Amino acid sequence: MSWYRNAVWFVKGLREYTRSGYESASKHFNPADVEVNVAGRSFLVTGANSGIGKATATEIARRGGTVHLVCRNKERAEVAKTEIVAETGNQNIFLHIVDISNPKEIWKFAEKFKSEHKLNVLINNAGCMVNNRELTEDGLEKNFATNTLGTYILTTALLPLLEKEVDARVITVSSGGMLVQKLNVSDLQSAGGTFDGTMVYAQNKRQQVVLTEQWAKVHRNIHFSVMHPGWADTPAVRSSMPDFYQTMKNALRTEAQGADTVVWLAVSAEATQLPSGLFFQDRQPVPTHLPLACTHSPLEDEEKLMEVLEEFSQKFKSTSPG
């Protein structure tokens, strides 16, 4: 069925995920939804030095929010912070250097952050698509370490902080590519078979959808959502998918268009009128499975994913420095 899923997804993408798809969908947006002042609210955005993360951080800063930029590269992050402050006039922009593929580093950061700041909205945007199987210094496959385990640890570590706030939200930037993948808990680190970075990334994005659905069941005081930004022209797409970029570059969304639904989920009152745990595209909840694609998973597989990630999480927490 994989050929069917890939074909349906690509046709759907040409229609909905491109710039023309955004322009069509945006005709139905209510501009007032995001014309809000969020001064006094605190937002944390991972992967915020470029692409959708930076566009999201800029729009939140423009609306008065306190924005914490979590980035891996200090030099690029400092440039991004300077640009966001200059563009928005908002001085409440804070920088944290964290490698989301390093679980010990995430734990250390989260514990410090909890002692110094409040948090209303967490935006899990950082991600990677490594096309060859690479291991981190902890022996973790890099895509899994960043996209799945990093997202899991940062979110669970900050949940106690979010639980303290009214109207707390967690938004995870996923991908429509997850529609071609069924959750596979038997090989989370892609050790078996031929390694295909694009499909590993898509599997990680399916895992993020499952995480969001599972968290929403347990943490009723926090609004969880996961979203697809469409096919946007970002540095990550250019570097990780050069052939796709060359083919589609004239049809790709801008970074701001890709970030639009993230901003809407982060600041609008309308977003939280919808149930927690949904998958969004262009400000609307959409199905997480293609028709006839056979990508639904048994509940025990979803529970197994949570159990395994929690085991990893605690292992690295116990070995994290101070």
Side-chain angles (χ1 to χ4, degrees), residues 144-194:
F144 167 77
T146 306
N147 302 327
T148 302
L149 184 60
T151 296
Y152 178 86
I153 293 177
L154 183 63
T155 303
T156 53
L158 294 177
L159 283 174
L161 202 56
L162 289 158
E163 292 276 12
K164 296 177 182 179
E165 302 298 330
V166 175
D167 190 19
R169 310 181 189 192
V170 174
I171 301 141
T172 300
V173 178
S174 182
S175 167
M178 67 91 194
L179 291 168
V180 305
Q181 286 285 312
K182 179 179 180 178
L183 179 66
N184 177 11
V185 292
S186 66
D187 188 20
L188 290 177
Q189 299 202 62
S190 309
T194 303

Side-chain angles (χ1 to χ4, degrees), residues 95-295:
L95 188 56
H96 310 272
I97 305 304
V98 185
D99 184 348
I100 298 296
S101 73
N102 185 323
K104 294 187 288 290
E105 207 173 295
I106 299 170
W107 272 118
K108 185 178 179 181
F109 160 72
E111 294 305 313
K112 186 172 188 291
F113 188 90
K114 285 190 288 188
S115 69
E116 297 176 350
H117 304 283
K118 74 167 194 170
L119 183 63
N120 299 95
V121 180
L122 168 63
I123 300 171
N124 291 309
N125 166 73
C128 70
M129 184 192 295
V130 180
N131 288 311
N132 297 302
R133 191 172 189 274
E134 294 181 17
L135 300 184
T136 69
E137 63 183 38
D138 297 302
L140 300 168
E141 190 278 315
K142 195 162 188 178
N143 293 292
F144 167 77
T146 306
N147 302 327
T148 302
L149 184 60
T151 296
Y152 178 86
I153 293 177
L154 183 63
T155 303
T156 53
L158 294 177
L159 283 174
L161 202 56
L162 289 158
E163 292 276 12
K164 296 177 182 179
E165 302 298 330
V166 175
D167 190 19
R169 310 181 189 192
V170 174
I171 301 141
T172 300
V173 178
S174 182
S175 167
M178 67 91 194
L179 291 168
V180 305
Q181 286 285 312
K182 179 179 180 178
L183 179 66
N184 177 11
V185 292
S186 66
D187 188 20
L188 290 177
Q189 299 202 62
S190 309
T194 303
F195 187 89
D196 182 333
T198 304
M199 289 300 103
V200 171
Y201 177 83
Q203 174 66 208
N204 295 162
K205 294 302 175 177
R206 169 62 71 187
Q207 292 160 4
Q208 290 178 344
V209 169
V210 173
L211 289 180
T212 299
E213 293 169 345
Q214 294 298 311
W215 282 326
K217 292 178 184 178
V218 178
H219 302 280
R220 300 299 180 87
N221 295 330
I222 301 171
H223 190 271
F224 291 86
S225 56
V226 61
M227 61 78 66
H228 175 36
W231 294 343
D233 186 350
T234 66
V237 168
R238 293 184 183 200
S239 63
S240 298
M241 305 175 70
D243 293 341
F244 173 81
Y245 173 74
Q246 285 301 323
T247 301
M248 298 298 299
K249 61 184 179 181
N250 294 326
L252 297 178
R253 298 181 178 200
T254 66
E255 293 171 345
Q257 290 170 342
D260 176 82
T261 295
V262 189
V263 176
W264 181 82
L265 287 166
V267 307
S268 77
E270 287 68 26
T272 52
Q273 299 305 305
L274 293 161
S276 182
L278 298 180
F279 181 66
F280 287 83
Q281 175 188 313
D282 291 332
R283 304 192 189 184
Q284 292 290 326
V286 293
T288 56
H289 299 277
L290 294 169
L292 308 176
C294 302
T295 51

